[in-house]
Amino acid sequence: MWISAVVAAGVLLSGCGAGPAPAEPDASARPISTGGGIIPEPFAAVLATVDEHARDRHDRVEAETVRCMAAQGFTYTPLPFWQREQRFQRFGDIEHASRYGFGLSPEEDRRGRQDSLPDDTAKLSSQEKEAWFRALLGDMDSPNRIRIEHRDGSVSEGPGEGCDIESQQALYGDYRAWRVAQVSFEELDHLVRQGTDSDPAWQRALADWRSCMTDAGYARYATDSRVEASELLSEEHRRGRVYEPDTVVPVDPADAKHEREVAVASATCEKKLGMADTYARVQAVHEKKVSETEQGVITGYLELVVTGTAKAGGEVEASPSTA
């Protein structure tokens, strides 16, 4: 039954009464298999449930938007489904580093995926265009716009009416509640990563990595993290040139070769030091901590996902990894 997704959340949160997690991971603990250096995202069980019927939910929302816009006399071309992009840490993956470096030279330019769609407002007058956008997104000055307060004190704002919102309400019910739940859950990922990156055990691993990179002749890139090393390489690629936002920086073949060399050196050090297992083990500790303190956020978000999936005609089964 579709409600089994909530059971998945319960499994993810199990063990909450076992007492507080240790301040640091036990170095003698059984290593966590990382599949060749790929560290899974936090809350993988929840994300798997979210992704399982994502296309069904997307298609239902877009169909509702088409219907809503047509009722107001407008044409709306539904957006294609794009799978949520996975974010993975890669530590010690020498083969991947030798092929792709730090990923600064994209295999393909993904710009313009949405820009390539037909412009439904191309033949409309300026007044008609304004009416089209108002029908889709509501009045920008409306008091019904949704304001979300984030953990860091910042506030984001978005439409609270219009066909885009009505179509999602048809799926999720109270759209405000859905959006707040979604943002709150996404912020848990940040909490886990923040805790993991600042953990003493991981900081010691980074110190060892910097020493290894220095010994390998890449002291310039022995920064606070491999991410900063890649950012330094990116700055070198630019050579002071300024590019428009969302444009791909062209990479000279010599730069790409150098990037791969640095990335391989980094991956070699990471593999030698067992950094993939260290990061996965530390992340698991902080994921558990966040899960224990944020049960309501996780369960509330999953319940809304399950509701939307059921309305879209899908069924969510608990996967073997969460059942």
PDB file of all heavy atoms in Angstrom, residues 176-201:
ATOM      1  N   ARG A 176       0.933  25.752   0.711  1.00  0.00           N
ATOM      2  CA  ARG A 176       1.847  26.417   1.640  1.00  0.00           C
ATOM      3  C   ARG A 176       2.502  25.394   2.565  1.00  0.00           C
ATOM      4  O   ARG A 176       3.709  25.424   2.787  1.00  0.00           O
ATOM      5  CB  ARG A 176       1.085  27.461   2.461  1.00  0.00           C
ATOM      6  CG  ARG A 176       0.598  28.660   1.662  1.00  0.00           C
ATOM      7  CD  ARG A 176      -0.310  29.538   2.507  1.00  0.00           C
ATOM      8  NE  ARG A 176      -0.883  30.618   1.721  1.00  0.00           N
ATOM      9  CZ  ARG A 176      -0.342  31.816   1.586  1.00  0.00           C
ATOM     10  NH1 ARG A 176       0.784  32.085   2.219  1.00  0.00           N
ATOM     11  NH2 ARG A 176      -0.921  32.736   0.847  1.00  0.00           N
ATOM     12  N   ALA A 177       1.678  24.502   3.104  1.00  0.00           N
ATOM     13  CA  ALA A 177       2.207  23.483   4.013  1.00  0.00           C
ATOM     14  C   ALA A 177       3.199  22.578   3.284  1.00  0.00           C
ATOM     15  O   ALA A 177       4.237  22.198   3.825  1.00  0.00           O
ATOM     16  CB  ALA A 177       1.066  22.660   4.599  1.00  0.00           C
ATOM     17  N   TRP A 178       2.867  22.223   2.037  1.00  0.00           N
ATOM     18  CA  TRP A 178       3.744  21.379   1.233  1.00  0.00           C
ATOM     19  C   TRP A 178       5.088  22.052   0.993  1.00  0.00           C
ATOM     20  O   TRP A 178       6.143  21.452   1.183  1.00  0.00           O
ATOM     21  CB  TRP A 178       3.078  21.044  -0.094  1.00  0.00           C
ATOM     22  CG  TRP A 178       4.029  20.716  -1.207  1.00  0.00           C
ATOM     23  CD1 TRP A 178       4.329  21.483  -2.283  1.00  0.00           C
ATOM     24  CD2 TRP A 178       4.834  19.540  -1.322  1.00  0.00           C
ATOM     25  NE1 TRP A 178       5.257  20.861  -3.079  1.00  0.00           N
ATOM     26  CE2 TRP A 178       5.587  19.662  -2.508  1.00  0.00           C
ATOM     27  CE3 TRP A 178       4.984  18.395  -0.541  1.00  0.00           C
ATOM     28  CZ2 TRP A 178       6.480  18.689  -2.923  1.00  0.00           C
ATOM     29  CZ3 TRP A 178       5.885  17.423  -0.965  1.00  0.00           C
ATOM     30  CH2 TRP A 178       6.611  17.576  -2.141  1.00  0.00           C
ATOM     31  N   ARG A 179       5.068  23.318   0.587  1.00  0.00           N
ATOM     32  CA  ARG A 179       6.303  24.021   0.268  1.00  0.00           C
ATOM     33  C   ARG A 179       7.170  24.214   1.508  1.00  0.00           C
ATOM     34  O   ARG A 179       8.392  24.043   1.463  1.00  0.00           O
ATOM     35  CB  ARG A 179       5.979  25.383  -0.364  1.00  0.00           C
ATOM     36  CG  ARG A 179       7.208  26.094  -0.909  1.00  0.00           C
ATOM     37  CD  ARG A 179       7.744  25.401  -2.134  1.00  0.00           C
ATOM     38  NE  ARG A 179       8.982  26.023  -2.583  1.00  0.00           N
ATOM     39  CZ  ARG A 179      10.178  25.463  -2.484  1.00  0.00           C
ATOM     40  NH1 ARG A 179      10.305  24.253  -1.976  1.00  0.00           N
ATOM     41  NH2 ARG A 179      11.252  26.090  -2.918  1.00  0.00           N
ATOM     42  N   VAL A 180       6.546  24.566   2.622  1.00  0.00           N
ATOM     43  CA  VAL A 180       7.297  24.728   3.871  1.00  0.00           C
ATOM     44  C   VAL A 180       7.926  23.397   4.273  1.00  0.00           C
ATOM     45  O   VAL A 180       9.090  23.343   4.689  1.00  0.00           O
ATOM     46  CB  VAL A 180       6.384  25.258   4.991  1.00  0.00           C
ATOM     47  CG1 VAL A 180       7.090  25.169   6.339  1.00  0.00           C
ATOM     48  CG2 VAL A 180       5.982  26.709   4.720  1.00  0.00           C
ATOM     49  N   ALA A 181       7.159  22.301   4.150  1.00  0.00           N
ATOM     50  CA  ALA A 181       7.676  20.980   4.512  1.00  0.00           C
ATOM     51  C   ALA A 181       8.837  20.596   3.614  1.00  0.00           C
ATOM     52  O   ALA A 181       9.840  20.030   4.077  1.00  0.00           O
ATOM     53  CB  ALA A 181       6.559  19.942   4.408  1.00  0.00           C
ATOM     54  N   GLN A 182       8.728  20.884   2.331  1.00  0.00           N
ATOM     55  CA  GLN A 182       9.789  20.552   1.382  1.00  0.00           C
ATOM     56  C   GLN A 182      11.069  21.316   1.703  1.00  0.00           C
ATOM     57  O   GLN A 182      12.166  20.728   1.761  1.00  0.00           O
ATOM     58  CB  GLN A 182       9.332  20.873  -0.040  1.00  0.00           C
ATOM     59  CG  GLN A 182      10.335  20.482  -1.109  1.00  0.00           C
ATOM     60  CD  GLN A 182       9.855  20.882  -2.494  1.00  0.00           C
ATOM     61  OE1 GLN A 182       9.341  21.992  -2.692  1.00  0.00           O
ATOM     62  NE2 GLN A 182       9.997  19.981  -3.447  1.00  0.00           N
ATOM     63  N   VAL A 183      10.950  22.614   1.919  1.00  0.00           N
ATOM     64  CA  VAL A 183      12.121  23.432   2.228  1.00  0.00           C
ATOM     65  C   VAL A 183      12.743  23.003   3.551  1.00  0.00           C
ATOM     66  O   VAL A 183      13.972  22.901   3.677  1.00  0.00           O
ATOM     67  CB  VAL A 183      11.738  24.924   2.269  1.00  0.00           C
ATOM     68  CG1 VAL A 183      12.878  25.764   2.830  1.00  0.00           C
ATOM     69  CG2 VAL A 183      11.369  25.423   0.877  1.00  0.00           C
ATOM     70  N   SER A 184      11.905  22.732   4.541  1.00  0.00           N
ATOM     71  CA  SER A 184      12.412  22.322   5.857  1.00  0.00           C
ATOM     72  C   SER A 184      13.190  21.018   5.756  1.00  0.00           C
ATOM     73  O   SER A 184      14.246  20.859   6.384  1.00  0.00           O
ATOM     74  CB  SER A 184      11.251  22.169   6.846  1.00  0.00           C
ATOM     75  OG  SER A 184      10.589  23.408   7.052  1.00  0.00           O
ATOM     76  N   PHE A 185      12.682  20.081   4.942  1.00  0.00           N
ATOM     77  CA  PHE A 185      13.392  18.815   4.776  1.00  0.00           C
ATOM     78  C   PHE A 185      14.721  19.037   4.060  1.00  0.00           C
ATOM     79  O   PHE A 185      15.754  18.469   4.445  1.00  0.00           O
ATOM     80  CB  PHE A 185      12.545  17.816   3.991  1.00  0.00           C
ATOM     81  CG  PHE A 185      13.287  16.564   3.632  1.00  0.00           C
ATOM     82  CD1 PHE A 185      13.527  15.591   4.591  1.00  0.00           C
ATOM     83  CD2 PHE A 185      13.767  16.365   2.348  1.00  0.00           C
ATOM     84  CE1 PHE A 185      14.252  14.441   4.275  1.00  0.00           C
ATOM     85  CE2 PHE A 185      14.477  15.223   2.016  1.00  0.00           C
ATOM     86  CZ  PHE A 185      14.715  14.257   2.985  1.00  0.00           C
ATOM     87  N   GLU A 186      14.718  19.857   3.019  1.00  0.00           N
ATOM     88  CA  GLU A 186      15.948  20.105   2.272  1.00  0.00           C
ATOM     89  C   GLU A 186      17.017  20.738   3.154  1.00  0.00           C
ATOM     90  O   GLU A 186      18.220  20.518   2.959  1.00  0.00           O
ATOM     91  CB  GLU A 186      15.653  21.001   1.068  1.00  0.00           C
ATOM     92  CG  GLU A 186      14.838  20.294  -0.019  1.00  0.00           C
ATOM     93  CD  GLU A 186      14.359  21.229  -1.116  1.00  0.00           C
ATOM     94  OE1 GLU A 186      14.487  22.465  -0.930  1.00  0.00           O
ATOM     95  OE2 GLU A 186      13.856  20.737  -2.132  1.00  0.00           O
ATOM     96  N   GLU A 187      16.588  21.509   4.140  1.00  0.00           N
ATOM     97  CA  GLU A 187      17.551  22.145   5.032  1.00  0.00           C
ATOM     98  C   GLU A 187      18.229  21.131   5.963  1.00  0.00           C
ATOM     99  O   GLU A 187      19.318  21.384   6.468  1.00  0.00           O
ATOM    100  CB  GLU A 187      16.863  23.239   5.849  1.00  0.00           C
ATOM    101  CG  GLU A 187      16.499  24.450   5.016  1.00  0.00           C
ATOM    102  CD  GLU A 187      15.873  25.566   5.829  1.00  0.00           C
ATOM    103  OE1 GLU A 187      15.231  25.272   6.860  1.00  0.00           O
ATOM    104  OE2 GLU A 187      16.038  26.744   5.439  1.00  0.00           O
ATOM    105  N   LEU A 188      17.595  19.976   6.163  1.00  0.00           N
ATOM    106  CA  LEU A 188      18.214  18.945   6.990  1.00  0.00           C
ATOM    107  C   LEU A 188      19.478  18.414   6.333  1.00  0.00           C
ATOM    108  O   LEU A 188      20.442  18.051   7.014  1.00  0.00           O
ATOM    109  CB  LEU A 188      17.228  17.795   7.232  1.00  0.00           C
ATOM    110  CG  LEU A 188      15.924  18.153   7.945  1.00  0.00           C
ATOM    111  CD1 LEU A 188      15.143  16.893   8.280  1.00  0.00           C
ATOM    112  CD2 LEU A 188      16.172  18.979   9.196  1.00  0.00           C
ATOM    113  N   ASP A 189      19.471  18.348   5.002  1.00  0.00           N
ATOM    114  CA  ASP A 189      20.657  17.931   4.255  1.00  0.00           C
ATOM    115  C   ASP A 189      21.828  18.847   4.596  1.00  0.00           C
ATOM    116  O   ASP A 189      22.949  18.389   4.831  1.00  0.00           O
ATOM    117  CB  ASP A 189      20.350  17.976   2.754  1.00  0.00           C
ATOM    118  CG  ASP A 189      21.579  17.708   1.899  1.00  0.00           C
ATOM    119  OD1 ASP A 189      22.333  18.663   1.623  1.00  0.00           O
ATOM    120  OD2 ASP A 189      21.774  16.556   1.503  1.00  0.00           O
ATOM    121  N   HIS A 190      21.544  20.146   4.660  1.00  0.00           N
ATOM    122  CA  HIS A 190      22.587  21.120   4.984  1.00  0.00           C
ATOM    123  C   HIS A 190      23.105  20.903   6.403  1.00  0.00           C
ATOM    124  O   HIS A 190      24.312  20.999   6.658  1.00  0.00           O
ATOM    125  CB  HIS A 190      22.046  22.538   4.830  1.00  0.00           C
ATOM    126  CG  HIS A 190      23.019  23.601   5.253  1.00  0.00           C
ATOM    127  ND1 HIS A 190      24.164  23.901   4.545  1.00  0.00           N
ATOM    128  CD2 HIS A 190      23.033  24.424   6.344  1.00  0.00           C
ATOM    129  CE1 HIS A 190      24.838  24.854   5.161  1.00  0.00           C
ATOM    130  NE2 HIS A 190      24.176  25.187   6.254  1.00  0.00           N
ATOM    131  N   LEU A 191      22.197  20.598   7.331  1.00  0.00           N
ATOM    132  CA  LEU A 191      22.616  20.374   8.707  1.00  0.00           C
ATOM    133  C   LEU A 191      23.566  19.181   8.807  1.00  0.00           C
ATOM    134  O   LEU A 191      24.567  19.225   9.523  1.00  0.00           O
ATOM    135  CB  LEU A 191      21.393  20.137   9.595  1.00  0.00           C
ATOM    136  CG  LEU A 191      20.483  21.330   9.880  1.00  0.00           C
ATOM    137  CD1 LEU A 191      19.325  20.905  10.766  1.00  0.00           C
ATOM    138  CD2 LEU A 191      21.271  22.458  10.542  1.00  0.00           C
ATOM    139  N   VAL A 192      23.234  18.101   8.077  1.00  0.00           N
ATOM    140  CA  VAL A 192      24.083  16.904   8.100  1.00  0.00           C
ATOM    141  C   VAL A 192      25.451  17.212   7.505  1.00  0.00           C
ATOM    142  O   VAL A 192      26.497  16.856   8.074  1.00  0.00           O
ATOM    143  CB  VAL A 192      23.424  15.740   7.341  1.00  0.00           C
ATOM    144  CG1 VAL A 192      24.385  14.562   7.219  1.00  0.00           C
ATOM    145  CG2 VAL A 192      22.150  15.307   8.046  1.00  0.00           C
ATOM    146  N   ARG A 193      25.468  17.879   6.373  1.00  0.00           N
ATOM    147  CA  ARG A 193      26.738  18.191   5.716  1.00  0.00           C
ATOM    148  C   ARG A 193      27.576  19.148   6.563  1.00  0.00           C
ATOM    149  O   ARG A 193      28.803  19.025   6.636  1.00  0.00           O
ATOM    150  CB  ARG A 193      26.480  18.785   4.331  1.00  0.00           C
ATOM    151  CG  ARG A 193      25.869  17.778   3.364  1.00  0.00           C
ATOM    152  CD  ARG A 193      25.498  18.417   2.032  1.00  0.00           C
ATOM    153  NE  ARG A 193      24.764  17.495   1.200  1.00  0.00           N
ATOM    154  CZ  ARG A 193      25.329  16.577   0.406  1.00  0.00           C
ATOM    155  NH1 ARG A 193      26.644  16.496   0.349  1.00  0.00           N
ATOM    156  NH2 ARG A 193      24.589  15.769  -0.316  1.00  0.00           N
ATOM    157  N   GLN A 194      26.900  20.108   7.175  1.00  0.00           N
ATOM    158  CA  GLN A 194      27.607  21.066   8.033  1.00  0.00           C
ATOM    159  C   GLN A 194      28.251  20.343   9.214  1.00  0.00           C
ATOM    160  O   GLN A 194      29.414  20.592   9.546  1.00  0.00           O
ATOM    161  CB  GLN A 194      26.612  22.118   8.524  1.00  0.00           C
ATOM    162  CG  GLN A 194      27.233  23.306   9.236  1.00  0.00           C
ATOM    163  CD  GLN A 194      26.180  24.328   9.614  1.00  0.00           C
ATOM    164  OE1 GLN A 194      25.152  24.018  10.215  1.00  0.00           O
ATOM    165  NE2 GLN A 194      26.421  25.587   9.255  1.00  0.00           N
ATOM    166  N   GLY A 195      27.494  19.456   9.856  1.00  0.00           N
ATOM    167  CA  GLY A 195      28.044  18.704  10.978  1.00  0.00           C
ATOM    168  C   GLY A 195      29.168  17.786  10.567  1.00  0.00           C
ATOM    169  O   GLY A 195      30.185  17.665  11.264  1.00  0.00           O
ATOM    170  N   THR A 196      29.008  17.128   9.416  1.00  0.00           N
ATOM    171  CA  THR A 196      30.030  16.205   8.920  1.00  0.00           C
ATOM    172  C   THR A 196      31.324  16.943   8.601  1.00  0.00           C
ATOM    173  O   THR A 196      32.415  16.516   9.000  1.00  0.00           O
ATOM    174  CB  THR A 196      29.528  15.471   7.663  1.00  0.00           C
ATOM    175  OG1 THR A 196      28.305  14.791   7.962  1.00  0.00           O
ATOM    176  CG2 THR A 196      30.559  14.468   7.167  1.00  0.00           C
ATOM    177  N   ASP A 197      31.206  18.047   7.878  1.00  0.00           N
ATOM    178  CA  ASP A 197      32.398  18.778   7.450  1.00  0.00           C
ATOM    179  C   ASP A 197      33.180  19.377   8.613  1.00  0.00           C
ATOM    180  O   ASP A 197      34.395  19.568   8.512  1.00  0.00           O
ATOM    181  CB  ASP A 197      32.008  19.877   6.460  1.00  0.00           C
ATOM    182  CG  ASP A 197      31.515  19.320   5.141  1.00  0.00           C
ATOM    183  OD1 ASP A 197      31.780  18.135   4.861  1.00  0.00           O
ATOM    184  OD2 ASP A 197      30.847  20.066   4.381  1.00  0.00           O
ATOM    185  N   SER A 198      32.495  19.706   9.710  1.00  0.00           N
ATOM    186  CA  SER A 198      33.172  20.316  10.850  1.00  0.00           C
ATOM    187  C   SER A 198      33.562  19.298  11.917  1.00  0.00           C
ATOM    188  O   SER A 198      34.187  19.656  12.914  1.00  0.00           O
ATOM    189  CB  SER A 198      32.277  21.388  11.478  1.00  0.00           C
ATOM    190  OG  SER A 198      31.073  20.824  11.965  1.00  0.00           O
ATOM    191  N   ASP A 199      33.219  18.035  11.721  1.00  0.00           N
ATOM    192  CA  ASP A 199      33.512  16.996  12.699  1.00  0.00           C
ATOM    193  C   ASP A 199      35.033  16.831  12.864  1.00  0.00           C
ATOM    194  O   ASP A 199      35.768  16.819  11.886  1.00  0.00           O
ATOM    195  CB  ASP A 199      32.890  15.671  12.246  1.00  0.00           C
ATOM    196  CG  ASP A 199      32.927  14.625  13.334  1.00  0.00           C
ATOM    197  OD1 ASP A 199      34.023  14.084  13.604  1.00  0.00           O
ATOM    198  OD2 ASP A 199      31.870  14.343  13.929  1.00  0.00           O
ATOM    199  N   PRO A 200      35.514  16.717  14.108  1.00  0.00           N
ATOM    200  CA  PRO A 200      36.961  16.563  14.342  1.00  0.00           C
ATOM    201  C   PRO A 200      37.582  15.396  13.580  1.00  0.00           C
ATOM    202  O   PRO A 200      38.713  15.504  13.081  1.00  0.00           O
ATOM    203  CB  PRO A 200      37.046  16.340  15.853  1.00  0.00           C
ATOM    204  CG  PRO A 200      35.836  17.037  16.403  1.00  0.00           C
ATOM    205  CD  PRO A 200      34.762  16.813  15.375  1.00  0.00           C
ATOM    206  N   ALA A 201      36.848  14.285  13.477  1.00  0.00           N
ATOM    207  CA  ALA A 201      37.399  13.128  12.764  1.00  0.00           C
ATOM    208  C   ALA A 201      37.618  13.453  11.298  1.00  0.00           C
ATOM    209  O   ALA A 201      38.626  13.042  10.694  1.00  0.00           O
ATOM    210  CB  ALA A 201      36.461  11.925  12.910  1.00  0.00           C
TER     211      ALA A 201
END
